[in-house]
Amino acid sequence: MRDSTTADKVHDVLIMGAGFGGLHALHRLRGDGFDVLAFEAGADTGGAWYWNNYPGARCDVESLVYCYSFSPIIDAEWRWTERYAARDEICRYLQWVATRLDLRRDIRFNTRIVAAHYDTARSLWQLRTEHGDIFRGRHFISSPGPISTPIPPNVPGLDAFTGEMIHTARWPNPGPDFAGKRVGVIGTGSSGTQLIPIVAEQCEQMFVFMRNRNYYLPARNRPLTNEDYAWWAEHREEIRAKLDSSEVFGSGDLMLGQEIRDTQGAKISDLSTAEFERIMAARWEHGGAQIGYAFRDLFASAESNARVSSWIRGKVGTFVADRNLARQLEPGDYPFGTKRATVGSGFYEAFERPNVALVDVLASPIERATAKGIVVDGTEHLIDILILASGFDAVTGALTTIDVRGASGRSLKEQWHDGTETYLGICLDDLPNFYMIGGPGSPSVLTNVVRTNEFQVNWIADLLCTMRDKGHTVAKVAPAAQQDWTARVAAAAGRGVWTETNSWYVGANVPGKKPQILAYTGGLMRYQSACNAERSAGFQSFSFA
Ligand code: NAP
């Protein structure tokens, strides 16, 4: 291990990750006069999108709201081309922001942090990079992105496969040439759903190994027009306020169109069948994840959710004519939205292609991988390129797969072994001067993640400014506050249908991960109230030194 060229320098703030959260934190804190240094594992910014370079990668939240709102410069100068931005455009956006706001000079690219230790004697954080360099800082902000640690599927013998094997979140550039190739895909979540129709058009043969069937919603992507931008200029602040006022879930999409906006927030149990049908049909036609934000009781009431789930199941037949195929593709018997719904174009239709075979691995799981393919039910499917669209160790994985240690010297991995505890999803009592953007116990992944990031960045920056004004150098949250917040996260989840389904929301996709809701399900409005109350009370849950 060697010290960095900055040797004994102690920065005010070190930031791990220069995606949406990290870039904004750097901008805000630098503006507040702090000396800040950010580290990014990628060769450029782009966050999760930098790595998820698979064919068809596209955001399923509308571009007009999947972007920053903190900067009038960005609002005035950037223009999205499509309703749902493709991966390349999002990367270009963040790269442009980094240049336009002059952030690059304080970002170390190609620099992955592998350890972060708190030095109690000197009250500072010491970060080690994969190259062995050491950096020191008074405060440490973790912003690696909640969905940034890819995991392979739990398939015996995967290492024995001798063909090309690629995880969607580690896609090479340039990617493989699929012409004349037999391709296997494991995973039909958001990533698989987007990739399958594109790669199916290019390859010779595709086997889709499909376990649980997800709910699938048509995106109805289209170019953004001058009219859209005129509408946006008029409604931008109203929509942003709506994102903040979400009582339960999401609000990731715009509510373009008066009819849809009028129905926002109805309770399914109060609606007549005709009204329910009208709302569902309007949102379905509008496209995207609109249905997820349509009803106040969608996640609070199993009966209400069942009506929506059954309505969407009934739609599969509108995509594929073959009834048998439609039945095979029908979403599983679990509440809509408790596993993240997928949004895309051409996914179901891809299975009508003669070169695409659906291999059902729900009833009969994948037996093993061999050197040449995948065995299911005794049949070996020969494959040249195996695509793993198998997901992520979400929300906590980025911190438990590196060596993070607080005042006690115990690793975060050990501390979270039996479940995560945090204060507001931002702080931990054993980790002074440590702050998470998009951490467990925050509503991040269930809300508009960019908007929630911005809120957390501002809250953290306000805490640091308060400390500086009062001459404090160390902030440590009280264990009781952490316990109270953790109980509140569990209670909120207990009031709804969230924990009924095995999904990455509850860590069920990672062997050995404690089953537990990873996000605060109470909505961004309640979350902001809790954070604002803490700030207004002078950060009274913290002890300072
Ligand atoms: P995911 O939603 O966790 O899906 C993983 C898929 O792999 C599931 O279909 C899962 O099946 C399957 N799988 C895992 N192990 C398997 C095994 N041993 N055998 C058979 N199938 C197996 O992962 P993801 O699609 O990468 O998406 C993760 C999250 O990233 C999304 O929910 C979303 O939040 C984000 N994302 C967003 C976008 C977007 O904005 N468009 C795009 C990509 C990702 P089971 O369901 O049966 O477990």
Side-chain angles (χ1 to χ4, degrees):
M1 204 186 283
R2 68 197 147 97
D3 268 13
S4 71
T5 46
T6 49
D8 293 329
K9 182 172 171 69
V10 177
H11 298 272
D12 293 330
V13 186
L14 299 177
I15 302 173
M16 180 172 76
F20 272 104
L23 286 184
H24 180 210
L26 169 56
H27 174 73
R28 161 77 209 256
L29 287 163
R30 190 207 268 168
D32 286 330
F34 291 101
D35 160 34
V36 192
L37 187 60
F39 303 93
E40 170 55 54
D44 206 332
T45 179
W49 300 99
Y50 175 85
W51 301 97
N52 284 272
N53 186 21
Y54 59 85
R58 184 179 287 283
C59 188
D60 60 16
V61 178
E62 293 189 51
S63 38
L64 290 170
V65 285
Y66 191 80
C67 57
Y68 291 125
S69 56
F70 70 82
S71 161
I73 295 175
I74 300 174
D75 274 344
E77 296 182 15
W78 181 266
R79 183 164 170 151
W80 296 102
T81 62
E82 291 180 273
R83 182 178 173 196
Y84 295 100
R87 173 263 176 198
D88 287 356
E89 190 172 20
I90 302 172
C91 286
R92 273 201 305 280
Y93 169 76
L94 287 176
Q95 288 160 12
W96 171 80
V97 168
T99 303
R100 184 68 182 84
L101 301 184
D102 188 25
L103 303 175
R104 291 179 179 277
R105 62 188 157 93
D106 288 323
I107 305 172
R108 300 285 169 104
F109 291 105
N110 294 306
T111 306
R112 186 176 288 280
I113 299 299
V114 293
H117 293 175
Y118 185 68
D119 180 338
T120 309
R122 291 192 285 170
S123 305
L124 52 82
W125 279 92
Q126 187 161 288
L127 270 56
R128 179 159 49 90
T129 74
E130 64 184 336
H131 312 299
D133 294 323
I134 302 287
F135 292 86
R136 298 186 181 88
R138 191 64 63 199
H139 301 272
F140 171 31
I141 298 179
S142 162
S143 184
I147 306 168
S148 58
T149 307
I151 49 168
N154 196 6
V155 169
L158 209 53
D159 290 343
F161 181 69
T162 54
E164 193 168 1
M165 184 160 64
I166 315 171
H167 194 287
T168 44
R170 290 291 178 268
W171 203 263
N173 189 8
D177 179 2
F178 292 107
K181 296 283 170 42
R182 295 163 302 187
V183 175
V185 183
I186 300 177
T188 49
S190 302
S191 307
T193 299
Q194 291 184 328
L195 168 144
I196 285 163
I198 310 281
V199 175
E201 286 176 1
Q202 301 168 16
C203 67
E204 176 78 23
Q205 168 77 49
M206 177 181 276
F207 299 103
V208 179
F209 302 97
M210 200 179 211
R211 199 161 63 181
N212 283 294
R213 276 61 163 166
N214 240 322
Y215 289 88
Y216 169 69
L217 309 167
R220 307 200 199 286
N221 188 30
R222 60 173 175 77
L224 287 174
T225 61
N226 287 338
E227 289 71 37
D228 291 325
Y229 262 90
W231 184 91
W232 178 235
E234 204 182 319
H235 293 92
R236 190 170 60 202
E237 295 317 317
E238 173 201 340
I239 296 289
R240 287 176 175 169
K242 262 192 169 132
L243 297 177
D244 289 341
S245 68
S246 113
E247 278 185 50
V248 189
F249 178 62
S251 288
D253 272 10
L254 298 176
M255 282 143 274
L256 288 163
Q258 192 58 40
E259 184 190 20
I260 286 175
R261 287 199 290 142
D262 284 349
T263 60
Q264 170 80 1
K267 260 178 123 178
I268 298 173
S269 51
D270 293 342
L271 297 173
S272 69
T273 304
E275 283 170 321
F276 172 74
E277 279 294 326
R278 188 178 59 79
I279 294 171
M280 288 297 288
R283 286 176 180 252
W284 182 263
E285 282 317 311
H286 186 65
Q290 290 287 338
I291 286 168
Y293 318 128
F295 306 108
R296 236 179 317 144
D297 53 347
L298 179 63
F299 296 100
S301 153
E303 293 78 40
S304 297
N305 190 297
R307 278 181 78 182
V308 171
S309 302
S310 144
W311 193 95
I312 299 172
R313 257 183 232 118
K315 281 286 177 188
V316 182
T318 63
F319 295 93
V320 290
D322 180 338
R323 281 211 189 153
N324 186 36
L325 176 61
R327 255 196 308 277
Q328 289 183 66
L329 291 167
E330 212 170 78
D333 189 19
Y334 63 87
F336 165 74
T338 53
K339 196 187 271 271
R340 198 172 185 276
T342 63
V343 179
S345 309
F347 172 61
Y348 284 148
E349 295 90 326
F351 292 90
E352 290 186 312
R353 297 177 62 92
N355 67 333
V356 176
L358 191 167
V359 185
D360 186 352
V361 297
L362 182 60
S364 186
I366 296 174
E367 279 172 37
R368 63 183 192 284
T370 65
K372 293 183 176 168
I374 292 287
V375 180
V376 179
D377 228 359
T379 301
E380 183 179 22
H381 301 276
L382 298 177
I383 288 163
D384 304 305
I385 302 174
L386 181 58
I387 297 174
L388 310 179
S390 45
F392 300 82
D393 182 353
V395 185
T396 53
L399 284 166
T400 54
T401 51
I402 65 170
D403 184 23
V404 180
R405 290 172 197 269
S408 70
R410 280 181 77 216
S411 73
L412 205 46
K413 184 177 178 174
E414 286 172 82
Q415 295 192 35
W416 281 350
H417 182 264
D418 296 323
T420 56
E421 280 199 8
T422 67
Y423 179 55
L424 298 173
I426 297 177
C427 300
L428 286 121
D429 67 344
D430 186 44
L431 281 74
N433 291 4
F434 170 76
Y435 320 91
M436 294 175 288
I437 298 171
S442 89
S444 180
V445 291
L446 298 180
T447 58
N448 181 297
V449 67
V450 182
R451 187 81 181 163
T452 304
N453 280 349
E454 288 188 329
F455 178 80
Q456 291 184 322
V457 165
N458 286 325
W459 190 90
I460 294 164
D462 290 348
L463 170 57
L464 267 56
C465 289
T466 302
M467 288 175 69
R468 184 178 56 190
D469 292 349
K470 297 194 168 169
H472 302 314
T473 50
V474 182
K476 186 175 173 316
V477 73
Q482 179 168 308
Q483 283 153 19
D484 282 354
W485 180 252
T486 303
R488 209 168 144 182
V489 171
R495 281 193 290 273
V497 293
W498 290 103
T499 51
E500 286 180 25
T501 309
N502 286 336
S503 73
W504 64 257
Y505 288 154
V506 293
N509 61 332
V510 181
K513 194 162 175 172
K514 159 107 190 220
Q516 177 195 29
I517 189 82
L518 289 166
Y520 172 61
T521 56
L524 187 51
M525 188 172 70
R526 284 191 200 88
Y527 177 71
Q528 290 192 351
S529 304
C531 294
N532 289 339
E534 177 65 47
R535 178 168 38 200
S536 314
F539 298 100
Q540 63 179 2
S541 302
F542 291 79
S543 59
F544 294 103

